[in-house]
Amino acid sequence: MDCDLRSPLFLIHLFMSTFLPALCVIYPLNEVNLLDSKASQGELGWISYPSHGWEEISGVDEHYTPIRTFQVCNVMEYSQNNWLRTNWIPRQSAQKIYVELKFTLRDCNSIPLVLGTCKETFNLLYLETDDDQGSHFREHQYLKIDTIAADESFTQTDLGDRILKLNIEVREVGPLTKKGFYLAFQDVGACVALVSVRVYFKKCPYTVRNLASFPDTVPMDSQSLVEVKGSCVNHSKEEEPPRMYCSTEGEWLVPIGKCLCNQGYEERSSTCQTPSAVSGIRKEKTTRNSVSLAWQEPERPNGIILDYEIKYYEKEEQETSYTILRARGCNVTLGGLKPNTAYLLQIRARTAAGYGASSTTFQFETSPDSAFSISSESSQVVLIAISSAVAIILLTVLLYVLIGRVCCRSKSKHPDEKRLHFGNGHLRLPGIRTYIDPHTYEDPSQAVHEFAKELDASCIAIDKVVGAGEFGEVCSGRLRLPSKKEICVAIKTLKGGYTDKQRRDFLAEASIMGQFDHPNIIRLEGVVTRSKPVMIVTEYMENGSLDSFLRKHDAQFTGIQLVGMLRGIASGMKYLSDMGYVHRDLAARNILVNSNLVCKVSDFGLSRVLEDDPEGAYTTRGGKIPIRWTAPEAIAYRKFTSASDAWSYGIVLWEVMSYGERPYWEMSNQDVIKAVDEGYRLPPPMDCPATLYQLMLDCWQKERNNRPKFEQIVSILDKLIRNPGSLKITANTTSRPANLLLDRSSLEVPSMGTMGDWMDPMRTLPCKEAFSGVSYSSCDTIAKTSTEDLKKVGVTIVGPQKKIVSSLKALDSNTKNGPVPV
Ligand code: ACK
């Protein structure tokens, strides 16, 4: 037998020298270690039973720091039962602990002559006790946590080399109640090296938000959030009692309330403050119709300066019409100015925290028209040249306006939105900023550089892949700009072998996103277009897409928290509609959530509805549309407007209140189109406040002009937040309009003999058939119906299951308490 090959120690050396990624010894702030085997320089002194089983050995990590590890490899012998037990670990205040194991495991196929005896797993167990029991050990007292298998065992490369991979497995244990516990590792015949064992619990770490401090808080073991009251920092007082929620993951969620500084005090500056004002504006060069300006960076940038906004207008016109430009650095040349004219200008810097204060108003004048005298002979030549130039300019302007109109017409607009004026590629705005379609640029790469900052790829570090986009992978990583603080970012990449059109479409999203600046719209940090891969870099949203986030946290949020999220989405949508931008693909999957539960609208690709949304389905008219989220007029004749976005918002509202349920469940797209056209609407999600359900119904008005504007939606949600009591009346127990999938009659005692008859009013629920012929003898029987019973009769989809069970309960209570008042 070849000892070297079988020895896990060999594996450890190989692993240490070749494959171990740089191990980060700084753990997240919200993790508190109870045990870290790597931190021990001396012997760990854990107990092995029998003594020829697990063996403690010394190794070195990638920094050649000594570490203690354990190995076992009795793969040739039958009936192995080798135990390794840690020392006693005091629990401290943890209710739930996490056990992180790093290990290597040899695959049995790679060891000759061991088939039948060799195993590829080991067991992780624990025992709770109130005191340290020394070397006393009884196998049967231990409770199994899990069988641990390797994701990556030794594999053989094409060249015959062995590749060793480090496995990292984390298991949760809880609730723990005694003062401490032991962990044990049971080997039943594998070849395994336990490289490190870390045991930790999570806490929401001390933090200060809105001038209130929140103490270290240990989450509960259950799924519920812990509500924590904050204390105002020195020299401040409560405006509204500050509160936050500590999640089971050790994250602070949804700050509510705040403290304000006492009179005579002001908040000390931090990287959350906007930059101070730009100063030192100076003229570098002036001509008849241009001026070059430079200025100084704000004295206190308070963060990374993303760009400068330059606003200028003719002095005579006051501010009735102005032009806005963005510049990346501290200088700009303004063109297309009138000769001999006085202009006023203001500059302000923008960071992640928003715009800083504007500079003081700066005045400049363009040069006068220079009088020139020329001979009559040359004057004719000059005249011809000037007339030709004027004709060419006029023709260009005419073409430009025409193209602009065609493009604008092809894009449906909300009735009250404002149009933009173009001029030299800048906005000329009558008092409001308006979105520019990048396709109106002859050269789309000009658009991307107008609206997005070019980043040097060397400033970006990619950490890991977090998902797949239409054009390539989506990664998380870090962006460090020279002399700026490093920030976490999401990086969308354009995969190799792309066509010109794909590159243009990919970058169009950045050209659109770069025009927006709102706390509920995903923020663009910049693009990489001058090296490969081409990338779009945006702020990082820790909780990913809203739909999967809600599914992961089913029933865990309070009504106010959900309304807070919805308010954010509505506010982002109001901003977009004010900008004249119609999203067309508003859905929970296109909303991103950060660690503070702030929701931001994302996904601005021009072709996204047509190309990259998996929900996109071809309509009879040829377009690809996410049917379940789209208003009937947009499906029927592509009438996409802010009002059709409002319909989609109603669907998002339904998705949020049902914690990520799929709208219309498993109904086919064709059935959805037909049902909606006939006037049916989704029923209220379980426990949905009546006011929110009413808002959904308003968003789903057939006549689009009757749907609420986003401004109204924001104000409705604000009122609900101010008056949380109004959320207590749920739609399940109030009257509803008659055009629902589930109408009011479904809450009254059925006189029909079968469940199928009773369910008739729930016309589009896909489970009615399952109940035909099922007789119920009494209301008690009905009320006791569980999701398990429903599965037995073929209702396997979770949404309808929940809906039916809650309706049956409501039915039961109505029977007992009398009819529901209308
Ligand atoms: O639900 P997720 O984790 O969140 O999976 C999808 C995936 O990439 C494909 O879109 C995630 N994702 C996209 N943009 C971001 C972002 N800015 N921050 C964090 N995750 C993102 C999304």
Side-chain angles (χ1 to χ4, degrees):
M1 186 174 73
D2 182 336
C3 279
D4 243 10
L5 265 181
R6 266 191 45 215
S7 157
L9 186 55
F10 159 79
L11 310 185
I12 290 170
H13 283 313
L14 181 60
F15 151 75
M16 294 303 176
S17 55
T18 326
F19 299 106
L20 187 67
L23 289 177
C24 184
V25 284
I26 301 164
Y27 298 112
L29 255 184
N30 66 349
E31 292 178 6
V32 182
N33 280 352
L34 295 173
L35 164 75
D36 183 5
S37 67
K38 281 192 69 203
S40 171
Q41 304 279 310
E43 273 194 22
L44 285 165
W46 295 358
I47 292 172
S48 291
Y49 301 92
S51 54
H52 60 268
W54 290 91
E55 189 187 359
E56 181 167 356
I57 54 164
S58 291
V60 284
D61 72 6
E62 79 286 11
H63 304 300
Y64 294 95
T65 308
I67 55 167
R68 308 293 295 175
T69 62
F70 291 88
Q71 65 172 34
V72 64
C73 196
N74 298 342
V75 287
M76 302 296 272
E77 294 122 64
Y78 282 100
S79 308
Q80 289 299 301
N81 185 21
N82 304 306
W83 286 75
L84 171 69
R85 195 209 68 182
T86 65
N87 298 332
W88 190 67
I89 307 167
R91 172 171 71 87
Q92 300 186 19
S93 50
Q95 291 194 16
K96 176 161 86 174
I97 54 152
Y98 297 79
V99 182
E100 181 195 78
L101 306 176
K102 293 185 178 166
F103 63 96
T104 58
L105 197 132
R106 179 95 180 252
D107 70 347
C108 292
N109 284 333
S110 69
I111 314 171
L113 306 173
V114 296
L115 290 180
T117 53
C118 175
K119 304 285 182 308
E120 292 186 348
T121 60
F122 63 96
N123 295 324
L124 172 66
L125 305 94
Y126 78 113
L127 169 68
E128 277 197 88
T129 61
D130 275 325
D131 48 24
D132 187 341
Q133 304 197 336
S135 57
H136 176 84
F137 174 76
R138 291 274 179 284
E139 218 180 289
H140 68 269
Q141 294 180 321
Y142 282 74
L143 297 174
K144 184 160 157 183
I145 300 169
D146 206 355
T147 300
I148 308 292
D151 289 334
E152 310 275 1
S153 50
F154 285 64
T155 45
Q156 193 114 9
T157 67
D158 293 346
L159 300 174
D161 302 331
R162 292 202 189 291
I163 295 188
L164 178 62
K165 301 240 176 84
L166 181 70
N167 293 279
I168 305 178
E169 295 287 331
V170 180
R171 294 292 180 277
E172 296 174 14
V173 189
L176 296 184
T177 49
K178 299 209 171 160
K179 287 192 185 139
F181 58 94
Y182 295 97
L183 289 181
F185 307 89
Q186 183 195 23
D187 162 59
V188 287
C191 193
V192 57
L194 208 47
V195 177
S196 78
V197 178
R198 184 164 80 95
V199 183
Y200 59 93
F201 66 93
K202 292 193 178 176
K203 67 168 184 187
C204 294
Y206 169 89
T207 187
V208 176
R209 297 272 174 92
N210 298 336
L211 290 180
S213 66
F214 294 84
D216 275 353
T217 303
V218 179
M220 304 225 272
D221 167 60
S222 65
Q223 293 295 299
S224 30
L225 304 169
V226 181
E227 186 179 335
V228 182
K229 291 195 171 62
S231 319
C232 292
V233 299
N234 286 345
H235 310 299
S236 70
K237 61 172 182 308
E238 254 181 45
E239 206 212 22
E240 192 195 334
R243 280 180 292 141
M244 263 208 291
Y245 293 89
C246 174
S247 78
T248 45
E249 292 305 305
E251 293 157 340
W252 288 110
L253 302 175
V254 199
I256 296 172
K258 60 178 172 188
C259 305
L260 291 179
C261 289
N262 291 341
Q263 205 127 45
Y265 289 86
E266 65 177 25
E267 200 173 331
R268 207 181 293 152
S269 88
S270 76
T271 51
C272 302
Q273 280 205 334
T274 54
S276 59
V278 165
S279 59
I281 304 175
R282 58 189 186 279
K283 256 188 315 190
E284 306 253 282
K285 190 175 162 208
T286 316
T287 69
R288 291 166 58 244
N289 32 36
S290 74
V291 65
S292 298
L293 302 163
W295 57 89
Q296 282 165 11
E297 215 190 54
E299 209 171 287
R300 292 183 310 283
N302 293 330
I304 300 169
I305 295 198
L306 302 173
D307 52 26
Y308 291 91
E309 183 193 81
I310 301 114
K311 174 178 165 185
Y312 62 97
Y313 48 91
E314 281 177 48
K315 192 176 177 185
E316 293 239 309
E317 286 194 15
Q318 299 293 330
E319 258 183 274
T320 51
S321 171
Y322 57 79
T323 301
I324 283 182
L325 268 186
R326 283 174 191 232
R328 316 263 169 254
C330 289
N331 53 56
V332 74
T333 297
L334 309 179
L337 306 178
K338 289 187 191 162
N340 201 17
T341 306
Y343 284 87
L344 296 178
L345 165 142
Q346 280 183 317
I347 301 176
R348 57 181 184 161
R350 183 172 71 108
T351 64
Y355 283 107
S358 292
S359 63
T360 50
T361 306
F362 178 79
Q363 178 169 337
F364 65 88
E365 287 91 29
T366 46
S367 314
D369 268 330
S370 49
F372 56 96
S373 57
I374 42 172
S375 68
S376 63
E377 201 183 316
S378 56
S379 78
Q380 267 190 359
V381 178
V382 171
L383 212 62
I384 291 167
I386 290 175
S387 331
S388 321
V390 168
I392 289 169
I393 290 168
L394 279 176
L395 212 67
T396 316
V397 169
L398 199 69
L399 267 175
Y400 202 54
V401 169
L402 276 177
I403 291 169
R405 285 212 175 151
V406 169
C407 294
C408 298
R409 254 190 233 130
S410 69
K411 227 172 143 298
S412 313
K413 297 285 171 192
H414 202 231
D416 52 11
E417 75 185 26
K418 314 216 172 31
R419 283 302 325 147
L420 71 162
H421 306 267
F422 289 101
N424 304 326
H426 321 146
L427 299 174
R428 268 193 81 76
L429 303 160
I432 190 159
R433 287 189 52 213
T434 315
Y435 153 78
I436 300 176
D437 184 337
H439 281 173
T440 56
Y441 280 74
E442 197 180 332
D443 173 7
S445 64
Q446 191 199 335
V448 85
H449 288 114
E450 179 111 359
F451 299 118
K453 177 172 175 170
E454 178 73 28
L455 302 171
D456 194 317
S458 64
C459 301
I460 301 165
I462 294 184
D463 288 337
K464 62 173 185 205
V465 175
V466 293
E470 165 65 9
F471 296 96
E473 284 162 340
V474 183
C475 307
S476 65
R478 287 152 293 132
L479 171 68
R480 182 178 222 128
L481 293 173
S483 74
K484 308 280 171 176
K485 213 175 129 216
E486 184 172 271
I487 55 166
C488 292
V489 287
I491 303 146
K492 282 191 178 181
T493 55
L494 176 60
K495 61 183 168 232
Y498 51 80
T499 61
D500 270 0
K501 180 174 178 317
Q502 281 170 324
R503 185 179 190 275
R504 266 200 312 274
D505 287 351
F506 176 72
L507 289 174
E509 177 164 24
S511 311
I512 296 170
M513 225 190 294
Q515 298 182 47
F516 303 141
D517 174 26
H518 188 273
N520 297 103
I521 304 290
I522 196 83
R523 189 182 65 244
L524 177 74
E525 297 294 347
V527 290
V528 176
T529 63
R530 299 200 174 120
S531 60
K532 283 186 183 162
V534 175
M535 301 184 225
I536 296 178
V537 181
T538 64
E539 68 181 302
Y540 186 65
M541 300 291 284
E542 295 81 352
N543 281 315
S545 315
L546 177 62
D547 60 338
S548 48
F549 174 69
L550 287 170
R551 274 179 225 127
K552 231 186 279 167
H553 295 272
D554 192 8
Q556 283 181 30
F557 298 116
T558 60
I560 283 289
Q561 286 177 308
L562 296 175
V563 176
M565 294 188 234
L566 288 163
R567 198 254 180 221
I569 302 167
S571 171
M573 288 308 297
K574 173 187 176 311
Y575 174 84
L576 293 182
S577 67
D578 287 348
M579 290 277 285
Y581 180 80
V582 179
H583 191 289
R584 297 177 177 220
D585 198 8
L586 178 59
R589 64 182 169 280
N590 289 331
I591 304 291
L592 292 165
V593 189
N594 74 10
S595 56
N596 284 331
L597 230 58
V598 175
C599 289
K600 306 200 181 195
V601 181
S602 77
D603 204 335
F604 299 104
L606 276 184
S607 58
R608 69 199 183 282
V609 178
L610 306 179
E611 308 296 340
D612 78 342
D613 188 333
E615 285 293 345
Y618 287 99
T619 62
T620 44
R621 290 169 63 96
K624 212 178 167 198
I625 284 173
I627 300 290
R628 286 151 213 272
W629 283 263
T630 306
E633 73 278 5
I635 296 174
Y637 49 99
R638 305 189 62 76
K639 184 81 188 155
F640 284 98
T641 59
S642 291
S644 63
D645 276 353
W647 177 291
S648 313
Y649 181 85
I651 303 286
V652 172
L653 184 44
W654 190 90
E655 289 184 277
V656 169
M657 297 316 292
S658 57
Y659 282 92
E661 192 71 84
R662 178 168 168 75
Y664 310 96
W665 302 285
E666 309 304 312
M667 284 170 69
S668 70
N669 280 341
Q670 275 320 310
D671 284 351
V672 171
I673 294 174
K674 191 162 172 287
V676 168
D677 199 46
E678 286 172 8
Y680 294 119
R681 298 292 182 265
L682 280 163
M686 197 158 65
D687 300 329
C688 179
T691 35
L692 291 180
Y693 186 55
Q694 189 55 54
L695 182 56
M696 290 178 208
L697 294 174
D698 291 345
C699 292
W700 301 330
Q701 296 265 1
K702 191 175 178 64
E703 168 52 53
R704 69 175 182 279
N705 291 320
N706 292 345
R707 294 174 204 153
K709 307 278 178 291
F710 282 107
E711 187 172 8
Q712 293 166 306
I713 298 178
V714 171
S715 118
I716 290 169
L717 297 176
D718 277 343
K719 275 189 200 131
L720 287 180
I721 292 170
R722 281 198 299 273
N723 180 15
S726 55
L727 295 174
K728 295 213 172 94
I729 307 161
T730 59
N732 299 1
T733 52
T734 52
S735 64
R736 301 183 215 103
N739 65 342
L740 304 181
L741 296 178
L742 203 90
D743 68 16
R744 192 177 177 282
S745 58
S746 67
L747 289 181
E748 289 169 358
V749 191
S751 54
M752 303 91 160
T754 70
M755 200 59 184
D757 294 339
W758 176 75
M759 288 192 63
D760 228 15
M762 307 186 194
R763 278 168 288 197
T764 55
L765 284 179
C767 47
K768 185 203 149 190
E769 301 79 49
F771 284 88
S772 315
V774 179
S775 287
Y776 281 81
S777 54
S778 73
C779 283
D780 271 358
T781 327
I782 292 174
K784 281 179 195 139
T785 306
S786 67
T787 48
E788 284 309 310
D789 299 328
L790 294 176
K791 273 188 211 155
K792 282 183 206 147
V793 294
V795 185
T796 52
I797 306 160
V798 177
Q801 279 175 2
K802 283 190 199 166
K803 183 71 238 159
I804 294 167
V805 170
S806 78
S807 297
L808 292 174
K809 290 216 163 72
L811 167 66
D812 179 51
S813 78
N814 291 341
T815 318
K816 287 174 182 147
N817 305 332
V820 181
V822 182

